[in-house]
Amino acid sequence: MKNLHTTLGALCVAVSFGFVAQTVKADDWASLAVKRIKSPPLGLPSVPIPADNQVTKQKLELGKKLFFDSRLSKNNALSCAGCHIPDQGFTNNHVATTIGVAGEFLARNAPTILNVAYQRTLFHDARETTLENQVYGPLLSKLEMGNPSIGWIIQTINGSEDYWGKFEKAFGEPVNVRNIGQAIATYERSLISANSPFDKWHFGKQQSAVSEDVKLGFKLFKGKGQCARCHLVKPNTALFSDQKLHDTGFVTAKKNADTGRMGVTGRGADKFRFKTPTLRNIALTAPYMHNGQLKTLASVVAFYNQGSKRDNKRKMPVLHLSDKEQALIVEFLKSLNGDNVQALIIEASKP
Ligand code: HEC
Ligand code: HEC
């Protein structure tokens, strides 16, 4: 076949074929998702991808199917998307902490999956390091999806006709403990969202993309409010997170308090330290903080304004922001919604 293409006629056919194939492809969400991962929207750096899990359309399609499949929970009632709900900012806006298969509230608020591709560590206490491995947390947790074992999950998938051949197509091998994580991680990696009004103004230099209030709010965010110390903005991109853990003074010491990172390391120095979350799409992902105790952005800013009153080891200064200044910071935070969130929601609803 290849030799034929050396003649001009065959080349023309190949070119026009290529064009037809592309216009068909443009409607196909997985092709668009591959493109998005390869060239992220304005404001985001390149997407880190593990060498042994390159992005393909087949993995994306399979990963999405798994993410939305409630048969992957013990009572067939809860999928990943049951707690990370697409049209609620890929989190759950209605509860402070989500509810698992056992009908019990979990201890923590579900973080958004939007832009999770960039997180160097996962969970509020940074106890996991790759998306590929993270999926087994919720799948196996008794409180979350409640599967008794990985073998059980593999059996469920093997027993479902609609999965037949799909792992073979995506990975060249049957479903196993590794490729379930690889497929879901690939889908999660495609949920990137930026080119927000803020990005268009700050990185794209479009002066009219945001209001004067947003511009003033950003100035306070970097300056008097000291927010950018932890919610980092780099010269050409911004994740709004330093990817580190901090004690913001939010948890007050009481019996059964969530000690954050200390629960992982056992070290006193890690007490009450939580991972700095991204602030992208923050207006879509209420309620806030690791336990969802703050319902509005205004209440988060008011919290920071007080500084950490409890003890001076927690280095959060009193900010002395006026009510007007706090409102300006909130306006700025509202400018961080990516322009493709609606498209991602629609994409999520497609088979
Ligand atoms: C019962 C609700 C629930 C279900 C079901 C659930 N999650 Fe989560 N998810 C959470 C909560 C709560 C956290 C935070 C837990 C913590 O920090 O200890 C979380 C954390 C995460 C994180 C870390 C995000 C970050 O920024 O650190 C990822 C990724 C994630 N979940 C993906 C998934 C995937 C994939 C599935 C399905 C296999 C899933 N979740 C199922 C509630 C849920
Ligand atoms: C010392 C580092 C640090 C500084 C300074 C800081 N933050 Fe945070 N921020 C964090 C950490 C860590 C969390 C997670 C706390 C938790 O879950 O208990 C957080 C959480 C948040 C949240 C909630 C995110 C979510 O998804 O629930 C918002 C909103 C926020 N910060 C905005 C701000 C603003 C606005 C300022 C400045 C007034 C600021 N932060 C200053 C580290 C910081």
Side-chain angles (χ1 to χ4, degrees), residues 67 78-80 83-84 98-100 106 108-111 113 116 119 121-124 127 131 134-135 138-139 144-145 184 188 275:
F67 191 87
L78 192 59
S79 68
C80 307
C83 294
H84 302 282
T98 45
I99 305 165
L106 305 182
R108 292 180 180 160
N109 180 257
I113 306 299
V116 78
Q119 298 278 338
T121 60
L122 299 161
F123 294 117
H124 292 290
R127 66 182 180 277
L131 286 172
Q134 187 278 336
V135 304
L139 283 171
E144 292 183 59
M145 297 166 85
I184 297 179
E188 292 179 301
K275 186 179 69 173

PDB file of all heavy atoms in Angstrom, residues 67 78-80 83-84 98-100 106 108-111 113 116 119 121-124 127 131 134-135 138-139 144-145 184 188 275, ligand 1:
ATOM      1  N   PHE A  67     -15.452   5.883  34.902  1.00  0.00           N
ATOM      2  CA  PHE A  67     -15.694   6.989  35.840  1.00  0.00           C
ATOM      3  C   PHE A  67     -17.186   7.152  36.127  1.00  0.00           C
ATOM      4  O   PHE A  67     -17.582   7.534  37.227  1.00  0.00           O
ATOM      5  CB  PHE A  67     -15.117   8.288  35.248  1.00  0.00           C
ATOM      6  CG  PHE A  67     -15.061   9.440  36.206  1.00  0.00           C
ATOM      7  CD1 PHE A  67     -13.957   9.616  37.044  1.00  0.00           C
ATOM      8  CD2 PHE A  67     -16.094  10.373  36.292  1.00  0.00           C
ATOM      9  CE1 PHE A  67     -13.891  10.686  37.940  1.00  0.00           C
ATOM     10  CE2 PHE A  67     -16.042  11.450  37.180  1.00  0.00           C
ATOM     11  CZ  PHE A  67     -14.931  11.599  38.002  1.00  0.00           C
ATOM     12  N   LEU A  78     -23.236   3.816  43.087  1.00  0.00           N
ATOM     13  CA  LEU A  78     -22.372   4.989  43.176  1.00  0.00           C
ATOM     14  C   LEU A  78     -21.180   4.879  42.235  1.00  0.00           C
ATOM     15  O   LEU A  78     -20.404   3.929  42.298  1.00  0.00           O
ATOM     16  CB  LEU A  78     -21.870   5.117  44.626  1.00  0.00           C
ATOM     17  CG  LEU A  78     -21.186   6.417  45.016  1.00  0.00           C
ATOM     18  CD1 LEU A  78     -22.093   7.608  44.828  1.00  0.00           C
ATOM     19  CD2 LEU A  78     -20.700   6.334  46.453  1.00  0.00           C
ATOM     20  N   SER A  79     -21.046   5.862  41.361  1.00  0.00           N
ATOM     21  CA  SER A  79     -19.864   5.938  40.497  1.00  0.00           C
ATOM     22  C   SER A  79     -18.952   7.038  41.022  1.00  0.00           C
ATOM     23  O   SER A  79     -19.323   7.776  41.946  1.00  0.00           O
ATOM     24  CB  SER A  79     -20.285   6.280  39.076  1.00  0.00           C
ATOM     25  OG  SER A  79     -20.792   7.595  39.033  1.00  0.00           O
ATOM     26  N   CYS A  80     -17.782   7.145  40.413  1.00  0.00           N
ATOM     27  CA  CYS A  80     -16.892   8.268  40.761  1.00  0.00           C
ATOM     28  C   CYS A  80     -17.661   9.584  40.597  1.00  0.00           C
ATOM     29  O   CYS A  80     -17.573  10.491  41.418  1.00  0.00           O
ATOM     30  CB  CYS A  80     -15.674   8.309  39.849  1.00  0.00           C
ATOM     31  SG  CYS A  80     -14.729   6.781  39.735  1.00  0.00           S
ATOM     32  N   CYS A  83     -19.961  11.438  43.271  1.00  0.00           N
ATOM     33  CA  CYS A  83     -19.436  12.409  44.242  1.00  0.00           C
ATOM     34  C   CYS A  83     -18.717  13.558  43.548  1.00  0.00           C
ATOM     35  O   CYS A  83     -18.673  14.661  44.069  1.00  0.00           O
ATOM     36  CB  CYS A  83     -18.481  11.742  45.226  1.00  0.00           C
ATOM     37  SG  CYS A  83     -19.277  10.549  46.316  1.00  0.00           S
ATOM     38  N   HIS A  84     -18.137  13.249  42.389  1.00  0.00           N
ATOM     39  CA  HIS A  84     -17.471  14.301  41.599  1.00  0.00           C
ATOM     40  C   HIS A  84     -18.412  14.605  40.421  1.00  0.00           C
ATOM     41  O   HIS A  84     -18.227  14.107  39.317  1.00  0.00           O
ATOM     42  CB  HIS A  84     -16.111  13.827  41.106  1.00  0.00           C
ATOM     43  CG  HIS A  84     -15.190  13.423  42.222  1.00  0.00           C
ATOM     44  ND1 HIS A  84     -14.514  14.352  42.991  1.00  0.00           N
ATOM     45  CD2 HIS A  84     -14.823  12.203  42.707  1.00  0.00           C
ATOM     46  CE1 HIS A  84     -13.767  13.713  43.892  1.00  0.00           C
ATOM     47  NE2 HIS A  84     -13.939  12.408  43.750  1.00  0.00           N
ATOM     48  N   THR A  98     -19.090  14.334  51.328  1.00  0.00           N
ATOM     49  CA  THR A  98     -19.937  13.469  50.495  1.00  0.00           C
ATOM     50  C   THR A  98     -20.365  12.190  51.231  1.00  0.00           C
ATOM     51  O   THR A  98     -19.814  11.829  52.262  1.00  0.00           O
ATOM     52  CB  THR A  98     -19.199  13.079  49.204  1.00  0.00           C
ATOM     53  OG1 THR A  98     -17.877  12.701  49.543  1.00  0.00           O
ATOM     54  CG2 THR A  98     -19.174  14.219  48.228  1.00  0.00           C
ATOM     55  N   ILE A  99     -21.338  11.493  50.632  1.00  0.00           N
ATOM     56  CA  ILE A  99     -21.905  10.289  51.240  1.00  0.00           C
ATOM     57  C   ILE A  99     -21.538   9.082  50.383  1.00  0.00           C
ATOM     58  O   ILE A  99     -21.693   9.115  49.163  1.00  0.00           O
ATOM     59  CB  ILE A  99     -23.450  10.407  51.333  1.00  0.00           C
ATOM     60  CG1 ILE A  99     -23.834  11.683  52.091  1.00  0.00           C
ATOM     61  CG2 ILE A  99     -24.057   9.171  51.997  1.00  0.00           C
ATOM     62  CD1 ILE A  99     -25.283  12.080  51.936  1.00  0.00           C
ATOM     63  N   GLY A 100     -21.068   8.019  51.022  1.00  0.00           N
ATOM     64  CA  GLY A 100     -20.654   6.830  50.280  1.00  0.00           C
ATOM     65  C   GLY A 100     -21.719   5.751  50.220  1.00  0.00           C
ATOM     66  O   GLY A 100     -22.869   5.974  50.619  1.00  0.00           O
ATOM     67  N   LEU A 106     -18.672  10.980  54.594  1.00  0.00           N
ATOM     68  CA  LEU A 106     -17.222  10.867  54.708  1.00  0.00           C
ATOM     69  C   LEU A 106     -16.720  12.033  55.563  1.00  0.00           C
ATOM     70  O   LEU A 106     -17.467  12.956  55.843  1.00  0.00           O
ATOM     71  CB  LEU A 106     -16.572  10.931  53.321  1.00  0.00           C
ATOM     72  CG  LEU A 106     -17.053   9.924  52.282  1.00  0.00           C
ATOM     73  CD1 LEU A 106     -16.268  10.099  50.990  1.00  0.00           C
ATOM     74  CD2 LEU A 106     -16.895   8.499  52.790  1.00  0.00           C
ATOM     75  N   ARG A 108     -14.435  14.140  54.696  1.00  0.00           N
ATOM     76  CA  ARG A 108     -13.916  15.298  53.973  1.00  0.00           C
ATOM     77  C   ARG A 108     -14.753  15.681  52.759  1.00  0.00           C
ATOM     78  O   ARG A 108     -15.514  14.891  52.248  1.00  0.00           O
ATOM     79  CB  ARG A 108     -12.472  15.030  53.541  1.00  0.00           C
ATOM     80  CG  ARG A 108     -11.524  14.971  54.732  1.00  0.00           C
ATOM     81  CD  ARG A 108     -10.107  14.716  54.292  1.00  0.00           C
ATOM     82  NE  ARG A 108      -9.218  14.654  55.452  1.00  0.00           N
ATOM     83  CZ  ARG A 108      -8.025  14.088  55.444  1.00  0.00           C
ATOM     84  NH1 ARG A 108      -7.562  13.532  54.330  1.00  0.00           N
ATOM     85  NH2 ARG A 108      -7.282  14.084  56.528  1.00  0.00           N
ATOM     86  N   ASN A 109     -14.505  16.889  52.305  1.00  0.00           N
ATOM     87  CA  ASN A 109     -15.158  17.445  51.123  1.00  0.00           C
ATOM     88  C   ASN A 109     -14.497  16.870  49.877  1.00  0.00           C
ATOM     89  O   ASN A 109     -13.290  16.697  49.829  1.00  0.00           O
ATOM     90  CB  ASN A 109     -14.981  18.975  51.169  1.00  0.00           C
ATOM     91  CG  ASN A 109     -15.617  19.681  49.997  1.00  0.00           C
ATOM     92  OD1 ASN A 109     -14.932  20.100  49.072  1.00  0.00           O
ATOM     93  ND2 ASN A 109     -16.931  19.800  50.027  1.00  0.00           N
ATOM     94  N   ALA A 110     -15.305  16.566  48.880  1.00  0.00           N
ATOM     95  CA  ALA A 110     -14.762  16.031  47.626  1.00  0.00           C
ATOM     96  C   ALA A 110     -14.096  17.152  46.828  1.00  0.00           C
ATOM     97  O   ALA A 110     -14.759  18.132  46.487  1.00  0.00           O
ATOM     98  CB  ALA A 110     -15.872  15.393  46.809  1.00  0.00           C
ATOM     99  N   PRO A 111     -12.808  17.022  46.527  1.00  0.00           N
ATOM    100  CA  PRO A 111     -12.164  18.055  45.703  1.00  0.00           C
ATOM    101  C   PRO A 111     -12.656  17.948  44.265  1.00  0.00           C
ATOM    102  O   PRO A 111     -13.140  16.900  43.845  1.00  0.00           O
ATOM    103  CB  PRO A 111     -10.669  17.700  45.761  1.00  0.00           C
ATOM    104  CG  PRO A 111     -10.532  16.572  46.751  1.00  0.00           C
ATOM    105  CD  PRO A 111     -11.874  15.949  46.895  1.00  0.00           C
ATOM    106  N   ILE A 113     -12.392  17.496  40.256  1.00  0.00           N
ATOM    107  CA  ILE A 113     -11.485  16.761  39.365  1.00  0.00           C
ATOM    108  C   ILE A 113     -10.948  17.694  38.268  1.00  0.00           C
ATOM    109  O   ILE A 113      -9.993  17.362  37.578  1.00  0.00           O
ATOM    110  CB  ILE A 113     -12.202  15.533  38.744  1.00  0.00           C
ATOM    111  CG1 ILE A 113     -12.803  14.639  39.833  1.00  0.00           C
ATOM    112  CG2 ILE A 113     -11.252  14.679  37.906  1.00  0.00           C
ATOM    113  CD1 ILE A 113     -11.804  14.058  40.811  1.00  0.00           C
ATOM    114  N   VAL A 116      -7.121  18.360  37.932  1.00  0.00           N
ATOM    115  CA  VAL A 116      -6.429  17.449  38.855  1.00  0.00           C
ATOM    116  C   VAL A 116      -5.166  16.879  38.177  1.00  0.00           C
ATOM    117  O   VAL A 116      -4.239  16.429  38.840  1.00  0.00           O
ATOM    118  CB  VAL A 116      -7.387  16.320  39.326  1.00  0.00           C
ATOM    119  CG1 VAL A 116      -7.575  15.235  38.274  1.00  0.00           C
ATOM    120  CG2 VAL A 116      -6.916  15.720  40.647  1.00  0.00           C
ATOM    121  N   GLN A 119      -1.963  18.086  39.742  1.00  0.00           N
ATOM    122  CA  GLN A 119      -1.679  17.897  41.170  1.00  0.00           C
ATOM    123  C   GLN A 119      -0.535  16.896  41.343  1.00  0.00           C
ATOM    124  O   GLN A 119      -0.637  15.768  40.898  1.00  0.00           O
ATOM    125  CB  GLN A 119      -2.915  17.344  41.892  1.00  0.00           C
ATOM    126  CG  GLN A 119      -4.114  18.252  41.854  1.00  0.00           C
ATOM    127  CD  GLN A 119      -4.070  19.329  42.909  1.00  0.00           C
ATOM    128  OE1 GLN A 119      -3.376  19.174  43.918  1.00  0.00           O
ATOM    129  NE2 GLN A 119      -4.766  20.408  42.688  1.00  0.00           N
ATOM    130  N   THR A 121       0.416  15.823  44.244  1.00  0.00           N
ATOM    131  CA  THR A 121      -0.036  14.888  45.275  1.00  0.00           C
ATOM    132  C   THR A 121      -1.553  14.941  45.321  1.00  0.00           C
ATOM    133  O   THR A 121      -2.150  15.938  44.931  1.00  0.00           O
ATOM    134  CB  THR A 121       0.513  15.244  46.677  1.00  0.00           C
ATOM    135  OG1 THR A 121       0.051  16.548  47.012  1.00  0.00           O
ATOM    136  CG2 THR A 121       2.032  15.191  46.706  1.00  0.00           C
ATOM    137  N   LEU A 122      -2.154  13.863  45.803  1.00  0.00           N
ATOM    138  CA  LEU A 122      -3.611  13.776  45.797  1.00  0.00           C
ATOM    139  C   LEU A 122      -4.163  13.553  47.200  1.00  0.00           C
ATOM    140  O   LEU A 122      -3.476  13.027  48.069  1.00  0.00           O
ATOM    141  CB  LEU A 122      -4.047  12.644  44.863  1.00  0.00           C
ATOM    142  CG  LEU A 122      -3.595  12.875  43.418  1.00  0.00           C
ATOM    143  CD1 LEU A 122      -3.626  11.587  42.630  1.00  0.00           C
ATOM    144  CD2 LEU A 122      -4.413  13.960  42.753  1.00  0.00           C
ATOM    145  N   PHE A 123      -5.418  13.926  47.369  1.00  0.00           N
ATOM    146  CA  PHE A 123      -6.158  13.964  48.628  1.00  0.00           C
ATOM    147  C   PHE A 123      -5.728  15.202  49.435  1.00  0.00           C
ATOM    148  O   PHE A 123      -4.665  15.769  49.207  1.00  0.00           O
ATOM    149  CB  PHE A 123      -5.958  12.694  49.476  1.00  0.00           C
ATOM    150  CG  PHE A 123      -6.527  11.449  48.838  1.00  0.00           C
ATOM    151  CD1 PHE A 123      -5.692  10.398  48.488  1.00  0.00           C
ATOM    152  CD2 PHE A 123      -7.876  11.325  48.572  1.00  0.00           C
ATOM    153  CE1 PHE A 123      -6.209   9.243  47.904  1.00  0.00           C
ATOM    154  CE2 PHE A 123      -8.403  10.171  47.983  1.00  0.00           C
ATOM    155  CZ  PHE A 123      -7.566   9.127  47.654  1.00  0.00           C
ATOM    156  N   HIS A 124      -6.578  15.587  50.366  1.00  0.00           N
ATOM    157  CA  HIS A 124      -6.310  16.793  51.162  1.00  0.00           C
ATOM    158  C   HIS A 124      -5.035  16.641  51.981  1.00  0.00           C
ATOM    159  O   HIS A 124      -4.415  17.634  52.352  1.00  0.00           O
ATOM    160  CB  HIS A 124      -7.494  17.074  52.100  1.00  0.00           C
ATOM    161  CG  HIS A 124      -8.745  17.475  51.383  1.00  0.00           C
ATOM    162  ND1 HIS A 124      -8.882  18.684  50.744  1.00  0.00           N
ATOM    163  CD2 HIS A 124      -9.921  16.816  51.180  1.00  0.00           C
ATOM    164  CE1 HIS A 124     -10.091  18.765  50.192  1.00  0.00           C
ATOM    165  NE2 HIS A 124     -10.731  17.641  50.443  1.00  0.00           N
ATOM    166  N   ARG A 127      -1.739  12.106  50.498  1.00  0.00           N
ATOM    167  CA  ARG A 127      -1.250  10.764  50.808  1.00  0.00           C
ATOM    168  C   ARG A 127      -1.016   9.902  49.565  1.00  0.00           C
ATOM    169  O   ARG A 127      -0.414   8.840  49.645  1.00  0.00           O
ATOM    170  CB  ARG A 127      -2.175  10.040  51.787  1.00  0.00           C
ATOM    171  CG  ARG A 127      -3.561   9.711  51.249  1.00  0.00           C
ATOM    172  CD  ARG A 127      -4.397   9.032  52.344  1.00  0.00           C
ATOM    173  NE  ARG A 127      -5.731   8.683  51.883  1.00  0.00           N
ATOM    174  CZ  ARG A 127      -6.766   9.513  51.837  1.00  0.00           C
ATOM    175  NH1 ARG A 127      -6.619  10.778  52.213  1.00  0.00           N
ATOM    176  NH2 ARG A 127      -7.946   9.107  51.423  1.00  0.00           N
ATOM    177  N   LEU A 131      -2.448   9.716  39.823  1.00  0.00           N
ATOM    178  CA  LEU A 131      -3.856   9.477  39.513  1.00  0.00           C
ATOM    179  C   LEU A 131      -4.094   7.995  39.256  1.00  0.00           C
ATOM    180  O   LEU A 131      -5.139   7.446  39.608  1.00  0.00           O
ATOM    181  CB  LEU A 131      -4.268  10.277  38.277  1.00  0.00           C
ATOM    182  CG  LEU A 131      -4.447  11.782  38.476  1.00  0.00           C
ATOM    183  CD1 LEU A 131      -4.672  12.469  37.134  1.00  0.00           C
ATOM    184  CD2 LEU A 131      -5.614  12.052  39.418  1.00  0.00           C
ATOM    185  N   GLN A 134      -4.442   6.476  42.591  1.00  0.00           N
ATOM    186  CA  GLN A 134      -5.464   7.079  43.461  1.00  0.00           C
ATOM    187  C   GLN A 134      -6.807   6.370  43.365  1.00  0.00           C
ATOM    188  O   GLN A 134      -7.508   6.234  44.360  1.00  0.00           O
ATOM    189  CB  GLN A 134      -5.621   8.564  43.095  1.00  0.00           C
ATOM    190  CG  GLN A 134      -6.534   9.357  44.023  1.00  0.00           C
ATOM    191  CD  GLN A 134      -8.001   9.196  43.686  1.00  0.00           C
ATOM    192  OE1 GLN A 134      -8.383   8.878  42.562  1.00  0.00           O
ATOM    193  NE2 GLN A 134      -8.849   9.396  44.689  1.00  0.00           N
ATOM    194  N   VAL A 135      -7.170   5.881  42.187  1.00  0.00           N
ATOM    195  CA  VAL A 135      -8.525   5.345  41.982  1.00  0.00           C
ATOM    196  C   VAL A 135      -8.852   4.190  42.936  1.00  0.00           C
ATOM    197  O   VAL A 135     -10.012   3.969  43.273  1.00  0.00           O
ATOM    198  CB  VAL A 135      -8.755   4.863  40.532  1.00  0.00           C
ATOM    199  CG1 VAL A 135      -8.466   5.976  39.539  1.00  0.00           C
ATOM    200  CG2 VAL A 135      -7.938   3.653  40.185  1.00  0.00           C
ATOM    201  N   PRO A 138     -10.921   5.231  46.522  1.00  0.00           N
ATOM    202  CA  PRO A 138     -12.384   5.203  46.565  1.00  0.00           C
ATOM    203  C   PRO A 138     -12.978   3.848  46.178  1.00  0.00           C
ATOM    204  O   PRO A 138     -13.980   3.434  46.769  1.00  0.00           O
ATOM    205  CB  PRO A 138     -12.808   6.282  45.565  1.00  0.00           C
ATOM    206  CG  PRO A 138     -11.598   6.623  44.766  1.00  0.00           C
ATOM    207  CD  PRO A 138     -10.418   6.307  45.622  1.00  0.00           C
ATOM    208  N   LEU A 139     -12.386   3.157  45.206  1.00  0.00           N
ATOM    209  CA  LEU A 139     -12.972   1.875  44.779  1.00  0.00           C
ATOM    210  C   LEU A 139     -13.013   0.882  45.937  1.00  0.00           C
ATOM    211  O   LEU A 139     -13.982   0.131  46.088  1.00  0.00           O
ATOM    212  CB  LEU A 139     -12.154   1.279  43.622  1.00  0.00           C
ATOM    213  CG  LEU A 139     -12.382   1.899  42.233  1.00  0.00           C
ATOM    214  CD1 LEU A 139     -11.358   1.371  41.229  1.00  0.00           C
ATOM    215  CD2 LEU A 139     -13.808   1.638  41.727  1.00  0.00           C
ATOM    216  N   GLU A 144     -16.652   4.498  50.782  1.00  0.00           N
ATOM    217  CA  GLU A 144     -16.915   5.122  49.482  1.00  0.00           C
ATOM    218  C   GLU A 144     -17.621   4.147  48.541  1.00  0.00           C
ATOM    219  O   GLU A 144     -18.804   3.986  48.596  1.00  0.00           O
ATOM    220  CB  GLU A 144     -15.632   5.714  48.900  1.00  0.00           C
ATOM    221  CG  GLU A 144     -15.187   6.915  49.748  1.00  0.00           C
ATOM    222  CD  GLU A 144     -13.959   7.622  49.236  1.00  0.00           C
ATOM    223  OE1 GLU A 144     -13.984   8.104  48.093  1.00  0.00           O
ATOM    224  OE2 GLU A 144     -12.969   7.697  49.982  1.00  0.00           O
ATOM    225  N   MET A 145     -16.881   3.410  47.685  1.00  0.00           N
ATOM    226  CA  MET A 145     -17.580   2.554  46.726  1.00  0.00           C
ATOM    227  C   MET A 145     -17.699   1.110  47.219  1.00  0.00           C
ATOM    228  O   MET A 145     -18.440   0.312  46.637  1.00  0.00           O
ATOM    229  CB  MET A 145     -16.896   2.663  45.364  1.00  0.00           C
ATOM    230  CG  MET A 145     -17.010   4.105  44.833  1.00  0.00           C
ATOM    231  SD  MET A 145     -15.939   4.486  43.442  1.00  0.00           S
ATOM    232  CE  MET A 145     -16.953   3.909  42.088  1.00  0.00           C
ATOM    233  N   ILE A 184      -8.879   5.289  33.963  1.00  0.00           N
ATOM    234  CA  ILE A 184      -9.575   6.365  34.683  1.00  0.00           C
ATOM    235  C   ILE A 184      -8.678   7.599  34.778  1.00  0.00           C
ATOM    236  O   ILE A 184      -9.119   8.726  34.568  1.00  0.00           O
ATOM    237  CB  ILE A 184     -10.036   5.898  36.087  1.00  0.00           C
ATOM    238  CG1 ILE A 184     -11.062   4.764  35.959  1.00  0.00           C
ATOM    239  CG2 ILE A 184     -10.633   7.068  36.872  1.00  0.00           C
ATOM    240  CD1 ILE A 184     -11.565   4.205  37.289  1.00  0.00           C
ATOM    241  N   GLU A 188      -9.422  11.508  33.645  1.00  0.00           N
ATOM    242  CA  GLU A 188      -9.307  12.634  34.578  1.00  0.00           C
ATOM    243  C   GLU A 188      -8.348  13.700  34.030  1.00  0.00           C
ATOM    244  O   GLU A 188      -8.572  14.897  34.171  1.00  0.00           O
ATOM    245  CB  GLU A 188      -8.816  12.145  35.939  1.00  0.00           C
ATOM    246  CG  GLU A 188      -9.841  11.284  36.644  1.00  0.00           C
ATOM    247  CD  GLU A 188      -9.352  10.778  37.985  1.00  0.00           C
ATOM    248  OE1 GLU A 188      -8.306  10.077  38.045  1.00  0.00           O
ATOM    249  OE2 GLU A 188      -9.999  11.076  38.992  1.00  0.00           O
ATOM    250  N   LYS A 275      -3.244  20.197  51.978  1.00  0.00           N
ATOM    251  CA  LYS A 275      -2.703  20.590  50.681  1.00  0.00           C
ATOM    252  C   LYS A 275      -3.358  21.880  50.197  1.00  0.00           C
ATOM    253  O   LYS A 275      -4.576  22.044  50.322  1.00  0.00           O
ATOM    254  CB  LYS A 275      -2.979  19.462  49.680  1.00  0.00           C
ATOM    255  CG  LYS A 275      -2.340  19.670  48.329  1.00  0.00           C
ATOM    256  CD  LYS A 275      -2.623  18.511  47.404  1.00  0.00           C
ATOM    257  CE  LYS A 275      -4.092  18.477  47.000  1.00  0.00           C
ATOM    258  NZ  LYS A 275      -4.370  17.463  45.964  1.00  0.00           N
TER     259      LYS A 275
HETATM  260  C1  HEC B   1     -18.323   8.774  48.209  1.00  0.00           C
HETATM  261  C2  HEC B   1     -17.875   9.896  47.438  1.00  0.00           C
HETATM  262  C3  HEC B   1     -16.704   9.692  46.491  1.00  0.00           C
HETATM  263  C4  HEC B   1     -16.608   8.763  45.488  1.00  0.00           C
HETATM  264  C5  HEC B   1     -17.604   7.692  45.096  1.00  0.00           C
HETATM  265  C6  HEC B   1     -15.342   9.028  44.846  1.00  0.00           C
HETATM  266  N1  HEC B   1     -14.715  10.084  45.428  1.00  0.00           N
HETATM  267 FE1  HEC B   1     -12.978  10.911  44.838  1.00  0.00          FE
HETATM  268  N2  HEC B   1     -12.914  11.974  46.552  1.00  0.00           N
HETATM  269  C7  HEC B   1     -13.907  12.040  47.488  1.00  0.00           C
HETATM  270  C8  HEC B   1     -13.417  12.717  48.674  1.00  0.00           C
HETATM  271  C9  HEC B   1     -14.202  13.013  49.936  1.00  0.00           C
HETATM  272  C10 HEC B   1     -12.059  13.029  48.432  1.00  0.00           C
HETATM  273  C11 HEC B   1     -11.073  13.675  49.415  1.00  0.00           C
HETATM  274  C12 HEC B   1     -10.616  12.577  50.383  1.00  0.00           C
HETATM  275  C13 HEC B   1      -9.418  12.946  51.226  1.00  0.00           C
HETATM  276  O1  HEC B   1      -8.758  13.937  50.948  1.00  0.00           O
HETATM  277  O2  HEC B   1      -9.124  12.202  52.171  1.00  0.00           O
HETATM  278  C14 HEC B   1     -11.779  12.563  47.067  1.00  0.00           C
HETATM  279  C15 HEC B   1     -10.576  12.762  46.413  1.00  0.00           C
HETATM  280  C16 HEC B   1     -10.356  12.419  45.091  1.00  0.00           C
HETATM  281  C17 HEC B   1      -9.200  12.807  44.308  1.00  0.00           C
HETATM  282  C18 HEC B   1      -8.043  13.682  44.780  1.00  0.00           C
HETATM  283  C19 HEC B   1      -8.208  15.083  44.259  1.00  0.00           C
HETATM  284  C20 HEC B   1      -7.210  16.049  44.791  1.00  0.00           C
HETATM  285  O3  HEC B   1      -7.231  17.201  44.332  1.00  0.00           O
HETATM  286  O4  HEC B   1      -6.410  15.716  45.667  1.00  0.00           O
HETATM  287  C21 HEC B   1      -9.350  12.237  43.068  1.00  0.00           C
HETATM  288  C22 HEC B   1      -8.410  12.358  41.890  1.00  0.00           C
HETATM  289  C23 HEC B   1     -10.579  11.484  43.094  1.00  0.00           C
HETATM  290  N3  HEC B   1     -11.175  11.637  44.323  1.00  0.00           N
HETATM  291  C24 HEC B   1     -11.047  10.697  42.048  1.00  0.00           C
HETATM  292  C25 HEC B   1     -12.052   9.743  42.225  1.00  0.00           C
HETATM  293  C26 HEC B   1     -12.276   8.609  41.331  1.00  0.00           C
HETATM  294  C27 HEC B   1     -11.467   8.312  40.094  1.00  0.00           C
HETATM  295  C28 HEC B   1     -13.331   7.912  41.830  1.00  0.00           C
HETATM  296  C29 HEC B   1     -13.920   6.631  41.308  1.00  0.00           C
HETATM  297  C30 HEC B   1     -13.018   5.512  41.191  1.00  0.00           C
HETATM  298  C31 HEC B   1     -13.763   8.636  43.025  1.00  0.00           C
HETATM  299  N4  HEC B   1     -12.951   9.714  43.238  1.00  0.00           N
HETATM  300  C32 HEC B   1     -14.867   8.272  43.784  1.00  0.00           C
HETATM  301  C33 HEC B   1     -15.180  11.533  47.342  1.00  0.00           C
HETATM  302  C34 HEC B   1     -15.494  10.497  46.458  1.00  0.00           C
END
